[in-house]
Amino acid sequence: MTKKVVILGGDGVGPEVADVTADVLRKMSLDLEILEPICGEKAQAELGNFFPDETRKLCDESDAILFGASGTTSGFLLAYLRWGLDNYINIRPIKYYPGCRTPLKDAEGIDFVILREGIEGMYPGREGDISLLTKNLPEYRDILGKSFADYGEGKFAVRIITDSGARRFLKFSCEFTLQRKAAGYKGNLTCVTKSNVLRESDGLFYRIMEEEIKLFPELILEHYYVDDMARRILRFPKDLNVLTTTNMFGDILSDEAAELVGGLGMSASACIGGTVPYFEPVHGAAPDIAGQGIVNPTAMMFSAKMMLDQLGMADAARALDDGIAAVYREGRYLTHDQGGSTSTTKFADAVMKKIG
Ligand code: IPM
Ligand code: MN
């Protein structure tokens, strides 16, 4: 059955990477209905609304959404894509493709995945004046024995880990690692927390991890604190298989890890688990290079590849992956972030030629 895909360019470089990726998908003649409704800054300028009702309706009724990037509209669009659609699983692969830029002497063989919880933790920012806590939690004492009033004027941020939210995400993390093991990878799942400091919230996260992994005797659970993990990503990237962590740690570690394998220009993500899955590059709107036709569309193309996989189109996903890999291996058509001077559209042409 034909799958309905909505491509939302969004802001900054978003529409540029979206347009060429839509072209590649169309050229592949897949059983896809591709829609590109207006949204983001353009919709705001023309219709006075970042996310028109008709665009939202198309998204709600689609099988998958491919999203470029959000700039000034980020809060609003991400609120819909992540919380509105309940996409609590964020999958961020870190894989080296020979020919891409890397600071390592030998990056061959780096191939791991960061699973980032998508809707809890420090997101969406819940902040306020300390006085609010002083008023509502007068009895509260921290481990230093201090009340909120003792801290004087300032701001707070709240980090939330729920039983059900952590459990469904960590259960998925186990299933994901098992599937990967069946595909020939190792069976180690590395949980990343800061439970030595965040004893209650990350303590809960890790306790649930230990419970869930019991149902998967084929898997091996590892646990590192996030500061140690940040170091290990640089020191032992080839030993990593699947990392699972809370929202903001996943956000930070995925940017760090991306730098080993080409940077944000190549880093894709899938946000799934909710009513409609969506796929997006890890990079943002990059306003400094927007409109120049030089942005690297690889991250968006890899996001499209993850979308095809999710839609059950594994052969097409592989063909797209192979096409992109071939362009990097050849090294003739590289965008400026990879040390070349190829434009966004020329890069897409090169990928299309490889796909045939
Ligand atoms: C990401 C981005 C977003 C995040 C921003 C734009 C809110 O950095 O997708 O990684 O922090 O989740
Ligand atoms: Mn980020």
Side-chain angles (χ1 to χ4, degrees):
M1 219 180 70
T2 306
K3 301 283 187 190
K4 201 187 275 185
V5 166
V6 173
I7 302 188
L8 300 176
D11 306 328
V13 296
E16 295 170 62
V17 296
D19 285 349
V20 296
T21 303
D23 287 347
V24 171
L25 289 173
R26 287 202 182 91
K27 180 86 188 306
M28 291 176 78
S29 315
L30 305 169
D31 199 4
L32 289 182
E33 183 187 347
I34 299 174
L35 306 165
E36 290 183 89
I38 189 168
C39 82
E41 286 157 1
K42 187 160 178 249
Q44 175 65 29
E46 288 175 22
L47 307 168
N49 185 350
F50 285 126
F51 195 41
D53 288 348
E54 304 85 79
T55 301
R56 186 196 180 106
K57 190 157 178 288
L58 289 174
C59 289
D60 286 341
E61 292 166 355
S62 69
D63 293 299
I65 300 163
L66 188 57
F67 178 57
S70 45
T72 49
T73 58
S74 70
F76 203 74
L77 283 173
L78 286 186
Y80 167 74
L81 293 166
R82 293 185 187 175
W83 289 271
L85 299 175
D86 195 29
N87 283 315
Y88 64 95
I89 301 159
N90 192 324
I91 306 175
R92 300 191 155 184
I94 305 293
K95 182 175 174 184
Y96 175 68
Y97 286 79
C100 79
R101 174 178 62 75
T102 173
L104 301 181
K105 235 188 256 143
D106 177 18
E108 188 83 49
I110 295 179
D111 188 355
F112 62 98
V113 177
I114 296 177
L115 299 178
R116 165 188 178 191
E117 198 287 324
I119 58 177
E120 294 197 340
M122 296 294 281
Y123 290 71
R126 278 167 298 258
E127 304 179 292
D129 286 323
I130 293 178
S131 60
L132 192 62
L133 297 180
T134 305
K135 203 167 90 208
N136 288 286
L137 297 169
E139 309 295 331
Y140 183 90
R141 295 293 177 273
D142 62 24
I143 58 164
L144 303 173
K146 288 177 141 190
S147 70
F148 290 115
D150 290 335
Y151 285 92
E153 276 180 29
K155 304 282 184 186
F156 68 86
V158 174
R159 183 172 188 268
I160 284 180
I161 308 289
T162 67
D163 279 88
S164 59
R167 193 171 301 281
R168 66 178 181 169
F169 170 69
L170 293 168
K171 182 171 188 290
F172 170 84
S173 301
C174 293
E175 287 162 356
F176 180 90
T177 310
L178 190 62
Q179 256 182 34
R180 217 171 127 85
K181 191 177 180 203
Y185 288 89
K186 290 187 292 185
N188 54 324
L189 173 59
T190 308
C191 186
V192 182
T193 73
K194 191 68 185 175
S195 60
N196 52 342
V197 175
L198 301 170
R199 287 165 192 270
E200 299 266 346
S201 56
D202 265 359
L204 174 67
F205 190 80
Y206 188 61
R207 216 162 43 248
I208 293 175
M209 176 82 266
E210 285 182 313
E211 283 170 23
E212 289 302 314
I213 198 97
K214 285 210 180 87
L215 305 170
F216 296 82
E218 311 88 334
L219 304 182
I220 298 162
L221 176 63
E222 297 163 351
H223 180 209
Y224 294 110
Y225 297 135
V226 63
D227 47 344
D228 189 21
M229 198 66 233
R231 178 185 71 81
R232 284 170 185 275
I233 284 174
L234 303 182
R235 183 80 171 81
F236 310 112
K238 294 179 195 180
D239 294 344
L240 304 175
N241 181 40
V242 181
L243 310 190
T244 185
T245 191
T246 50
N247 206 343
M248 192 170 274
F249 292 164
D251 176 46
I252 297 167
L253 294 180
S254 58
D255 268 33
E256 180 200 350
E259 277 307 323
L260 298 178
V261 294
L264 293 185
M266 297 188 63
S267 210
S269 77
C271 297
I272 66 168
T275 47
V276 182
Y278 93 95
F279 303 81
E280 67 173 341
V282 173
H283 65 69
D288 51 326
I289 58 162
Q292 298 176 36
I294 60 167
V295 60
N296 184 354
T298 306
M300 185 63 153
M301 290 185 186
F302 277 143
S303 301
K305 174 205 121 176
M306 295 180 85
M307 177 183 78
L308 294 175
D309 257 327
Q310 183 74 18
L311 292 173
M313 305 170 106
D315 290 344
R318 206 168 306 115
L320 181 53
D321 192 68
D322 288 348
I324 298 167
V327 171
Y328 279 93
R329 216 178 306 113
E330 190 180 69
R332 276 179 66 199
Y333 300 100
L334 297 178
T335 46
H336 80 121
D337 60 311
Q338 301 299 314
S341 57
T342 299
S343 70
T344 308
T345 48
K346 286 262 160 52
F347 179 90
D349 289 345
V351 171
M352 283 194 251
K353 283 210 186 79
K354 293 293 180 197
I355 295 174

